[in-house]
Amino acid sequence: MLETLEHETRSNPDWCVLWLHGLGADGHDFAPIVPELLRPDWPALRFVFPHAPVRPITVNNGARMRAWYDIAGFDIASRQDAAGVAQSVGQVAELIAREGERGIPPERILLAGFSQGGAIALAAGLQQPRALAGVVALSTYLPVAEATVAASTEAGRGTPVFMAHGSQDPVVPEQLGLMSRDRLRGLGVQVDWHSYPMAHQVCREEIDALATWMQARLVA
């Protein structure tokens, strides 16, 4: 089981937001976003921020860092680490199962991620046997697309997705995000797409749009 950082907005949370960080970061990276997202009428939430395993990254001369999978070259869409992606998808499934043991079923779990974490969120969300409340994929793309699509489930394809990307992103080009969006929509996935004039980052407008999207799922 991955090590995690957790924050509960109130005791006895009814919902969980499972948030995956990007390459080289850790679970602390997006913890500060919690107060910026919250709305007063939301139910009690448990935010879970897992730390990815430490592994060597080929594109960084084999330097060891926290990562959900290896990056073999600067063209991140080629020579993808299918084994690493599959391992991380399995670890996310374990975290989802643990929330079930703590009383929060998949339909009350939002799976979110940024960059590499967003890629795993998309892949894991598509492969779940039971639909999640939603998937949030920021500045990212659908990894090992053919295998991920082949492993997708009816429940996964029925899970709504929020995607946002920077139009000036030099790390994960927006075109990769757009291609992934179109691939998901071709599977029948409901994708809410947002583009912002920014680089590989998040912005205030993006957080506000995400909060509005989450509101629709958290408050019936």
Side-chain angles (χ1 to χ4, degrees):
M1 184 72 65
L2 295 172
E3 295 181 4
T4 61
L5 174 70
E6 297 188 4
H7 172 79
E8 294 183 359
T9 59
R10 294 196 304 276
S11 59
N12 302 315
D14 304 299
W15 291 73
C16 174
V17 180
L18 179 57
W19 200 302
L20 312 181
H21 63 77
L23 175 67
D26 63 20
H28 294 276
D29 198 35
F30 276 88
I33 205 172
V34 173
E36 298 185 49
L37 270 176
L38 295 180
R39 298 296 181 265
D41 55 344
W42 285 6
L45 299 171
R46 176 184 295 123
F47 282 84
V48 178
F49 300 97
H51 305 301
V54 175
R55 69 181 80 218
I57 300 301
T58 302
V59 74
N60 290 340
N61 298 315
R64 295 178 63 82
M65 61 189 65
R66 292 196 181 277
W68 300 105
Y69 52 91
D70 188 23
I71 300 290
F74 289 104
D75 179 7
I76 61 175
S78 64
R79 297 172 57 202
Q80 295 183 56
D81 177 15
V85 170
Q87 178 189 40
S88 291
V89 166
Q91 290 171 320
V92 168
E94 291 177 352
L95 291 173
I96 291 171
R98 185 179 69 170
E99 290 308 310
E101 294 169 359
R102 296 201 282 184
I104 301 180
E107 57 267 25
R108 294 207 301 270
I109 296 176
L110 289 164
L111 178 58
F114 174 81
S115 195
Q116 259 207 354
I120 295 301
L122 283 174
L126 272 179
Q127 297 177 54
Q128 291 307 303
R130 292 173 59 183
L132 303 175
V135 170
V136 178
L138 309 180
S139 301
T140 194
Y141 64 103
L142 185 66
V144 286
E146 294 301 325
T148 299
V149 168
S152 67
T153 64
E154 183 177 356
R157 294 188 295 272
T159 298
V161 173
F162 177 99
M163 293 187 75
H165 218 111
S167 59
Q168 301 159 23
D169 192 333
V171 178
V172 181
E174 186 181 36
Q175 185 58 32
L176 272 181
L178 289 166
M179 291 170 60
S180 298
R181 176 202 65 184
D182 294 345
R183 186 69 180 269
L184 290 168
R185 286 178 174 171
L187 293 173
V189 178
Q190 177 189 333
V191 181
D192 191 359
W193 171 267
H194 299 261
S195 178
Y196 301 94
M198 63 180 184
H200 196 60
Q201 61 192 94
V202 296
C203 65
R204 177 74 255 177
E205 294 82 3
E206 179 181 20
I207 293 171
D208 289 342
L210 174 56
T212 298
W213 184 85
M214 290 175 64
Q215 172 90 11
R217 280 140 192 91
L218 295 171
V219 181

